[in-house]
């Protein structure tokens, strides 16, 4: 199965970092967040990726073109014009980088990579969020229900800690309780090629007309993920993910 990853947005809410690089290239633990995401997917059998580029897409191209430089020790033999890579660590990945336009909306980006996924079921997600998602369970749910699309529904944690009160006394404290109990779009879609017919052009936002129409036609399933999920929308989010990684408590680290 292939996975399509959106990596072309401007990341305006984390502009402290994204004015220099695309948001999926913002680092957690010294590695771009898109690398963490691909490791999560690869650990569960997805090794083919189609990445939708837009804003500063050349930075992602340069990263993957020079992947060994980022991941290995190297010797540059200037006299003989050679580069020797030591301790190679080759990921089993095939990465297709597609320029989908700097100002194209999410639906338009998806539509532009249609020829790269063909008619097979494929995974689709955002390049700036992490989860300990169970892809086998998600895929099984999607195939069992036979709809054109399945979205992973998540319940994000609240931003602030919550006090449990009894009368005038604090009886407990929850550091990050769930929010208001509502389910939101957590990304990690399973899609059939039929979804391309719901996207009219570059101006279409996937989360609006296409998903609304799929829902109205009863073609959008919801896989409820109750584990870890975190989008990296702000510097606060980045700091939280970085702390989890540094403390050895990153729930998305499911690889060896």
């Amino acid at each position: 199965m292939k996975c399509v990853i959106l990596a072309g947005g401007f990341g305006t809410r984390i502009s402290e970092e994204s004015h220099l690089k695309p948001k999926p290239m913002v680092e957690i633990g010294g590695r771009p967040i898109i690398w963490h995401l691909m490791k999560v997917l690869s650990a569960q059998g997805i090794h083919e990726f189609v990445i939708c580029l837009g804003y500063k897409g050349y930075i992602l191209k340069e990263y993957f073109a020079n992947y060994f430089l980022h991941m290995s020790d190297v010797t540059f033999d200037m006299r003989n014009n050679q580069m020797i890579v030591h301790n190679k660590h080759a990921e089993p990945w095939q990465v297709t980088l597609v320029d989908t336009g700097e100002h194209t909306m999410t639906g338009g980006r998806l539509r532009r990579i249609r020829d790269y996924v063909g008619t097979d079921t494929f995974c689709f997600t955002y390049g700036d969020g992490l989860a300990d998602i169970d892809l086998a369970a998600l895929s099984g749910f999607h195939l069992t229900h036979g709809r054109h699309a399945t979205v992973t529904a998540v319940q994000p944690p609240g931003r602030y800690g919550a006090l449990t009160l009894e009368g005038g006394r604090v009886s407990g404290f929850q550091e990050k309780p769930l929010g208001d109990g509502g389910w939101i779009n957590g990304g990690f879609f399973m899609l059939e090629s039929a979804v391309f017919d719901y996207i009219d052009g570059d101006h279409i936002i996937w989360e609006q007309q296409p998903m609304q129409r799929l829902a109205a036609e009863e073609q959008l399933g919801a896989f409820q993920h109750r584990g870890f999920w975190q989008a990296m929308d702000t510097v606060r989010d980045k700091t939280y993910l970085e702390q989890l990684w540094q403390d050895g408590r990153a729930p998305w680290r499911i690889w060896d």
Side-chain angles (χ1 to χ4, degrees):
M1 182 179 291
K2 295 179 180 178
C3 185
V4 176
I5 303 175
L6 291 177
F10 289 96
T12 54
R13 286 183 289 177
I14 192 170
S15 59
E16 296 90 341
E17 296 262 2
S18 63
H19 75 287
L20 296 173
K21 63 186 75 172
K23 188 160 63 160
M25 289 299 294
V26 173
E27 293 183 355
I28 303 297
R31 299 278 185 266
I33 190 171
I34 196 172
W35 177 87
H36 291 263
L37 173 63
M38 292 168 71
K39 290 286 284 185
V40 170
L41 299 170
S42 183
Q44 300 181 75
I46 292 182
H47 306 307
E48 293 186 54
F49 302 94
V50 179
I51 301 179
C52 302
L53 304 181
Y55 172 69
K56 295 186 181 293
Y58 66 90
I59 293 179
L60 282 112
K61 288 182 179 179
E62 290 176 352
Y63 175 76
F64 286 105
N66 298 298
Y67 189 77
F68 280 134
L69 289 178
H70 295 280
M71 301 299 292
S72 306
D73 297 331
V74 295
T75 296
F76 294 100
D77 184 343
M78 303 301 185
R79 179 179 301 173
N80 298 307
N81 192 27
Q82 292 181 337
M83 182 182 76
I84 303 168
V85 179
H86 307 282
N87 303 318
K88 293 182 181 178
H89 179 71
E91 304 285 357
W93 297 347
Q94 177 177 307
V95 183
T96 301
L97 301 160
V98 183
D99 183 359
T100 57
E102 186 165 304
H103 298 284
T104 306
M105 298 292 102
T106 52
R109 294 191 192 283
L110 178 59
R111 183 173 180 264
R112 284 202 183 195
I113 56 80
R114 181 174 193 166
D115 292 342
Y116 292 97
V117 296
T119 59
D120 295 332
T121 303
F122 64 98
C123 177
F124 174 53
T125 193
Y126 308 105
D128 59 357
L130 295 171
D132 56 351
I133 186 74
D134 184 339
L135 289 178
L138 170 58
S139 179
F141 178 93
H142 175 73
L143 295 175
T144 298
H145 289 80
R147 297 186 177 95
H148 293 336
T150 298
V151 59
T152 298
V154 300
Q155 291 181 295
R159 181 174 175 181
Y160 303 104
L163 302 177
T164 302
L165 303 179
E166 292 184 8
R169 180 179 66 87
V170 175
S171 60
F173 179 80
Q174 290 179 283
E175 181 180 356
K176 278 189 175 288
L178 292 177
D180 60 7
W183 294 87
I184 68 168
N185 167 17
F188 297 99
F189 297 86
M190 286 290 173
L191 303 178
E192 302 298 329
S193 60
V195 301
F196 294 116
D197 296 331
Y198 291 73
I199 305 170
D200 296 332
D202 286 353
H203 64 288
I204 296 298
I205 299 172
W206 165 250
E207 298 80 7
Q208 294 182 5
Q209 299 99 319
M211 287 186 66
Q212 290 169 4
R213 184 178 158 200
L214 285 163
E217 296 178 8
E218 299 183 357
Q219 288 294 334
L220 180 61
F223 174 77
Q224 294 178 315
H225 172 63
R226 300 180 185 277
F228 174 83
W229 175 89
Q230 180 65 55
M232 189 187 66
D233 289 328
T234 65
V235 172
R236 179 193 294 268
D237 298 332
K238 177 190 182 300
T239 301
Y240 174 60
L241 290 169
E242 180 73 34
Q243 194 63 57
L244 289 175
W245 182 264
Q246 296 299 336
D247 292 346
R249 298 186 294 117
W252 68 89
R253 184 164 188 169
I254 61 174
W255 61 90
D256 293 331

